[in-house]
Amino acid sequence: MTAASSKHSIAENTYYNRELSWLQFNARVLQEAKDTTTPLIDRLRFLGIFSNNLDEFFKVRYATIKRIAEAGKGGRSFLGGISATELMEKITNTVIEHQKASLDILKDIEQELEKENIYIINETEVSEAQSAFISDYFIQKVSPALVTIMIGELEAFPSLKDSAAYLAVKMEMSKDDDIFKTKTNYALIEIPKSIERFVVLPADGEKQYIIILDDLIRHCLHNIFSIFKYDKISANMIKITRDAELDIESDLSKSFIDKISKSVKNRSAGDPVRFVYDKKIDKKTLEFLMKKMNIDNTDSIIPGGRYHNRRDYMSFPSLGRNDLQYKKIQPLPIKGLSLQGSLFDKIAEKDYLLYAPYQTFSYVVKFLREAALDPNVTSIKITIYRLAEISHIASSLINAVKNGKEVTVQIELQARFDEEANIQYAEQMQSEGVKLIFGVSGLKVHCKACLIERNEKDKLKRYAFISTGNFNESTARIYTDYTLFTSDQKICKEINKVFDFFEVNYKIKKYRHLIVSPHYTRNSIYQLIDTEIINNINGRASGIKLKLNSLSDLKMIDKLYAASRAGVKIKLIVRGICCLVPGIKGMSENIEVISVIDKFLEHPRLFIFENAGDPKMYISSADFMGRNLDNRVEISCPIYDEDIKQTILDTFDISWNDNVKARIISENQSNRYRKNKKEKVRSQFKMYDYFKDKLEE
């Protein structure tokens, strides 16, 4: 997006467009792939993250805009003053620019890999010895998994799978051919997802070789099409992205699991929203494919490189080269909280805060395992949004049922792109006797909370943990998130109210401590901001510090603008979408915004209000987006323990002072790195040292 067009939209609306802001976030991810201080193999993995993000963007956001355009609506009010058609054009142009940059970065990385004796070769560079290995590998592993469709003379074109990569094969038939009517014929080969995309070839001394599965298949085209007589054969990559919106039927005779399961299966037949092709593809082949697939100008048509589905670079093989990857950290223990002995005894005395991945997520699993075995525990209630592929959380809950505990799981079957995994876990837990709740009609359940009830001296005592992120052992190694362990009975009682709301949701509960969406979050945050405005006007200490994944709700942005106009200093750390425009005189000159993209994915939501010198702070599952404020069940939990308050303030300040991986979010979102003459602070590295030092205090 050009600076001129940025200023135009800002002058008109005082907001940055949500979709274009998301693309600038993804550009920050691409910056990590370009950054030569990022380890070489991790640079490739950031390219994979960039590509994976883009796939999801087209499936969800671009698809929504396309539906608005096709409905004949301008969409200006919904899209912040820009028409759907104009926005689609800007998105396509921006994506083409980013894709071009990503290809240049990939070329640079490949050159650097060669300096490290790592060679990614194509089918034209295969040696005789490698050819023998490839042929055997193809026969044994690839050929049985291939789906090849002869499309040249098919009347009905096959439905291509969403985000699957295909080789579009063109054959120029020889004079001896007597099978086909036409002298040019076409086929599609689906690249199998069941086989690793990067095939490691036998090493030659210190030199290591990799061939991408696409090129391995190209090398073996003669094997696939040996029954045909052709003079020339070529293969170019194509990919189609489909609308990922779930269409849930209203048949009352079917269970919710069945409805979601069917809807997920039908997703593969969603309307196409993006078509990516190898820009070197033969023009006639491209025209043939687009005509057959009914690709039109409302779809985003992206000329790309030789390879698609570069998200697979997220799993690029390590090749035993630890020197070319980020050093793995050893997650630290929480000071004063041992994984030996009873966690209940410790948490009964005081609250504890876990900040993953700097501290070990094992505390969450240990707490559930202890609850499953403890004869004094009577019940466990937990919300589940995304689970690990092999989940110790799920196995602990099943173990608790087998030990006679009453286990209630609120599982969100509509967690985007994790529906199938959650359906499988739901069916497994249900068969073991876990009581399942499937949320509230019309609302996603996005909060992350667990409540454990225990008999102590003939009285019921509750324990809880509540988090900013998913109860997922896998992502806990790469996502930063806060989890609070508490036995504060006031907070625990209100968490129980949330679980009551899941089951009897026509009764709206009242809360004195938790802030709960969809009924209270928006107005509660407004009131907290208003308090800061009043404090500043009256000369008392004021200020707002927020850490968010996304900030796109325009009414909330207006409230922050009002606080800025009143003189309240506001510091925002926003990883992703930021529709707020900082630093504009008379509107937002008291607001500063940065975004930190680094080794770990910044995921916590944190709200800190100065409150006249007695800070109020909350950890939360909610971003400042309309869906989190008004259309989801979210929990923001207050922090009352003074030591934990100080820890949270310290961790916010460490992130805020980052001058290595922080980008300044400015008027045109140009992703300029924050550079200054102060001591270098790479916040994620400093954060680990901070918690390590606390253990030695």
Side-chain angles (χ1 to χ4, degrees):
M1 184 172 177
T2 65
S5 61
S6 297
K7 287 179 181 176
H8 172 74
S9 61
I10 288 164
E12 195 174 75
N13 306 295
T14 68
Y15 313 112
Y16 201 90
N17 175 267
R18 169 180 163 156
E19 279 66 41
L20 298 177
S21 179
W22 185 94
L23 289 174
Q24 292 309 318
F25 150 66
N26 209 33
R28 295 193 283 278
V29 174
L30 192 58
Q31 285 178 322
E32 288 301 294
K34 185 177 182 180
D35 189 342
T36 55
T37 67
T38 301
L40 200 51
I41 289 177
D42 283 296
R43 288 176 65 188
L44 275 178
R45 291 170 181 163
F46 272 110
L47 267 182
I49 295 167
F50 163 82
S51 183
N52 186 63
N53 287 348
L54 207 53
D55 282 349
E56 293 192 5
F57 173 81
F58 274 93
K59 289 179 189 179
V60 181
R61 293 304 306 170
Y62 190 91
T64 300
I65 300 161
K66 183 183 176 187
R67 285 197 298 272
I68 293 170
E70 289 179 344
K73 298 176 181 178
R76 290 184 182 275
S77 59
F78 178 75
L79 298 172
I82 187 171
S83 74
T85 303
E86 183 184 359
L87 181 55
M88 286 194 297
E89 183 181 350
K90 286 190 175 185
I91 288 170
T92 299
N93 291 338
T94 302
V95 170
I96 289 172
E97 183 182 322
H98 289 175
Q99 289 280 42
K100 182 180 182 300
S102 73
L103 292 173
D104 291 339
I105 292 167
L106 179 58
K107 185 177 179 181
D108 178 62
I109 293 172
E110 288 175 344
Q111 290 173 351
E112 292 300 312
L113 284 171
E114 289 183 5
K115 293 178 185 177
E116 297 291 339
N117 277 327
I118 297 170
Y119 298 85
I120 302 174
I121 62 172
N122 64 37
E123 76 279 9
T124 67
E125 301 167 311
V126 173
S127 70
E128 191 173 328
Q130 290 168 338
S131 182
F133 174 88
I134 287 170
S135 295
D136 183 63
Y137 187 93
F138 178 81
I139 292 166
Q140 297 297 326
K141 293 190 176 182
V142 181
S143 182
L146 280 189
V147 174
T148 304
I149 309 167
M150 303 302 299
I151 58 173
E153 297 181 359
L154 283 182
E155 289 187 17
F157 195 82
S159 178
L160 304 191
K161 292 180 182 177
D162 171 54
S163 293
Y166 292 86
L167 285 174
V169 179
K170 177 186 177 184
M171 289 183 287
E172 295 179 14
M173 313 312 296
S174 70
K175 294 178 181 178
D176 300 331
D177 170 63
D178 56 5
I179 296 176
F180 298 106
K181 295 176 183 177
T182 58
K183 289 303 176 185
T184 303
N185 224 294
Y186 301 97
L188 286 177
I189 302 173
E190 182 181 341
I191 304 296
K193 292 183 179 179
S194 58
I195 300 172
E196 291 292 334
R197 187 84 182 276
F198 301 98
V199 180
V200 180
L201 301 176
D204 180 6
E206 293 184 355
K207 294 182 178 180
Q208 294 175 293
Y209 293 91
I210 289 172
I211 188 167
I212 298 177
L213 183 58
D214 321 10
D215 289 333
L216 186 148
I217 294 170
R218 285 186 175 103
H219 184 73
C220 298
L221 285 176
H222 62 281
N223 186 303
I224 301 169
F225 298 102
S226 60
I227 65 171
F228 302 127
K229 296 175 182 177
Y230 53 84
D231 294 327
K232 189 176 179 182
I233 189 167
S234 60
N236 298 85
M237 186 72 72
I238 63 167
K239 181 176 81 170
I240 197 163
T241 305
R242 296 185 181 277
D243 187 339
E245 187 66 23
L246 293 181
D247 185 13
I248 302 170
E249 60 180 291
S250 58
D251 187 344
L252 298 177
S253 67
K254 292 187 177 181
S255 73
F256 193 57
I257 290 181
D258 289 339
K259 291 177 185 177
I260 296 293
S261 182
K262 182 178 179 181
S263 186
V264 170
K265 289 175 184 176
N266 288 341
R267 176 184 276 162
S268 61
D271 291 337
V273 291
R274 178 179 59 156
F275 177 63
V276 186
Y277 63 91
D278 181 350
K279 61 188 176 187
K280 292 185 178 179
I281 196 170
D282 176 78
K283 185 178 179 182
K284 288 185 178 179
T285 305
L286 181 62
E287 290 173 353
F288 171 83
L289 290 169
M290 290 181 64
K291 183 178 179 181
K292 287 285 188 179
M293 288 189 285
N294 295 317
I295 301 291
D296 59 38
N297 58 9
T298 64
D299 303 306
S300 188
I301 301 169
I302 310 289
R306 179 179 171 90
Y307 310 101
H308 304 327
N309 278 5
R310 279 176 294 155
R311 62 170 182 256
D312 293 335
Y313 280 107
M314 293 165 67
S315 302
F316 191 82
S318 62
L319 300 169
R321 295 295 302 269
N322 293 332
D323 57 317
L324 301 181
Q325 302 170 84
Y326 276 122
K327 183 180 177 182
K328 289 182 176 157
I329 64 168
Q330 183 64 38
L332 300 165
I334 298 172
K335 186 177 181 180
L337 192 62
S338 173
L339 285 167
Q340 305 297 320
S342 172
L343 292 182
F344 284 110
D345 291 348
K346 289 290 187 179
I347 296 167
E349 296 171 4
K350 70 182 295 292
D351 291 355
Y352 289 89
L353 183 73
L354 161 67
Y355 196 11
Y358 312 108
Q359 296 169 309
T360 178
F361 188 75
S362 298
Y363 288 101
V364 173
V365 178
K366 167 71 165 66
F367 202 24
L368 283 174
R369 283 181 173 163
E370 183 179 342
L373 299 178
D374 189 338
N376 293 317
V377 169
T378 58
S379 73
I380 302 171
K381 300 175 183 177
I382 192 169
T383 62
I384 287 176
Y385 196 73
R386 300 187 198 277
L387 287 172
E389 187 175 348
I390 299 173
S391 174
H392 299 303
I393 301 293
S395 62
S396 296
L397 296 171
I398 291 169
N399 192 24
V401 171
K402 292 182 183 296
N403 281 298
K405 320 299 181 191
E406 184 181 327
V407 178
T408 303
V409 173
Q410 152 54 49
I411 187 164
E412 182 50 69
L413 295 185
Q414 296 182 74
R416 182 87 67 179
F417 305 121
D418 275 331
E419 298 96 342
E420 290 184 77
N422 283 5
I423 287 167
Q424 290 173 4
Y425 271 118
E427 290 174 339
Q428 180 186 352
M429 287 189 286
Q430 197 169 50
S431 69
E432 295 285 358
V434 173
K435 178 183 177 183
L436 295 184
I437 305 173
F438 298 118
V440 183
S441 179
L443 300 174
K444 271 191 182 180
V445 176
H446 189 249
C447 59
K448 284 81 178 180
C450 177
L451 185 72
I452 298 168
E453 294 183 329
R454 192 170 187 253
N455 284 325
E456 296 182 8
K457 298 178 182 178
D458 297 324
K459 288 186 178 179
L460 178 71
K461 185 168 183 179
R462 294 184 173 114
Y463 295 79
F465 55 87
I466 189 162
S467 184
T468 64
N470 301 305
F471 301 136
N472 183 316
E473 306 94 305
S474 298
T475 57
R477 291 193 287 268
I478 53 175
Y479 287 23
T480 67
D481 273 303
Y482 296 108
T483 300
L484 178 72
F485 295 91
T486 185
S487 63
D488 185 320
Q489 294 304 289
K490 300 184 295 294
I491 289 176
C492 291
K493 183 179 179 181
E494 293 196 351
I495 292 173
N496 193 54
K497 284 185 179 182
V498 176
F499 280 97
D500 287 344
F501 172 68
F502 294 147
E503 299 198 66
V504 186
N505 43 67
Y506 56 84
K507 289 184 180 178
I508 298 175
K509 308 290 184 179
K510 292 185 178 179
Y511 306 90
R512 295 186 61 190
H513 303 278
L514 301 181
I515 300 176
V516 180
S517 292
H519 303 114
Y520 299 108
T521 301
R522 182 181 292 280
N523 286 335
S524 295
I525 299 297
Y526 284 175
Q527 289 170 14
L528 288 163
I529 294 172
D530 283 339
T531 298
E532 297 307 309
I533 293 172
I534 293 167
N535 285 340
N536 189 71
I537 290 170
N538 292 328
R540 294 190 287 267
S542 67
I544 299 169
K545 297 176 179 178
L546 304 174
K547 190 168 189 177
L548 301 164
N549 291 328
S550 296
L551 171 57
S552 64
D553 185 80
L554 302 188
K555 291 180 181 178
M556 191 63 74
I557 291 171
D558 287 343
K559 201 71 179 174
L560 292 170
Y561 285 161
S564 174
R565 289 188 185 100
V568 178
K569 299 293 183 183
I570 301 171
K571 295 179 177 179
L572 304 178
I573 305 174
V574 184
R575 187 193 82 224
I577 298 166
C578 183
C579 297
L580 179 147
V581 184
I584 303 298
K585 190 172 181 180
M587 181 181 79
S588 58
E589 67 263 44
N590 289 306
I591 304 177
E592 295 179 82
V593 189
I594 64 168
S595 175
V596 177
I597 307 289
D598 199 355
K599 175 182 179 181
F600 304 123
L601 182 107
E602 297 282 338
H603 196 250
R605 292 85 165 182
L606 174 63
F607 316 148
I608 303 172
F609 299 90
E610 183 58 32
N611 193 42
D614 182 19
K616 286 188 175 183
M617 63 181 67
Y618 299 82
I619 61 170
S620 181
S621 59
D623 283 306
F624 284 0
M625 305 177 76
R627 68 187 189 192
N628 303 96
L629 300 171
D630 305 321
N631 298 306
R632 289 186 173 186
V633 180
E634 308 273 11
I635 296 176
S636 301
C637 179
I639 303 297
Y640 292 141
D641 182 279
E642 292 302 322
D643 289 339
I644 294 177
K645 274 189 172 184
Q646 188 59 53
T647 297
I648 287 178
L649 284 170
D650 290 345
T651 56
F652 182 92
D653 287 343
I654 290 170
S655 291
W656 183 257
N657 290 324
D658 193 307
N659 56 8
V660 176
K661 289 294 186 177
R663 282 73 153 178
I664 296 169
I665 303 299
S666 58
E667 181 180 345
N668 61 3
Q669 297 210 7
S670 58
N671 290 332
R672 178 169 56 89
Y673 283 89
R674 176 200 267 169
K675 301 291 183 184
N676 54 42
K677 295 181 180 179
K678 296 180 181 178
E679 179 185 351
K680 294 290 183 186
V681 175
R682 188 169 178 175
S683 58
Q684 292 188 352
F685 288 25
K686 191 173 180 66
M687 203 79 73
Y688 184 78
D689 292 339
Y690 169 82
F691 285 107
K692 193 174 181 180
D693 291 344
K694 284 182 79 70
L695 292 172
E696 299 170 3
E697 289 177 356

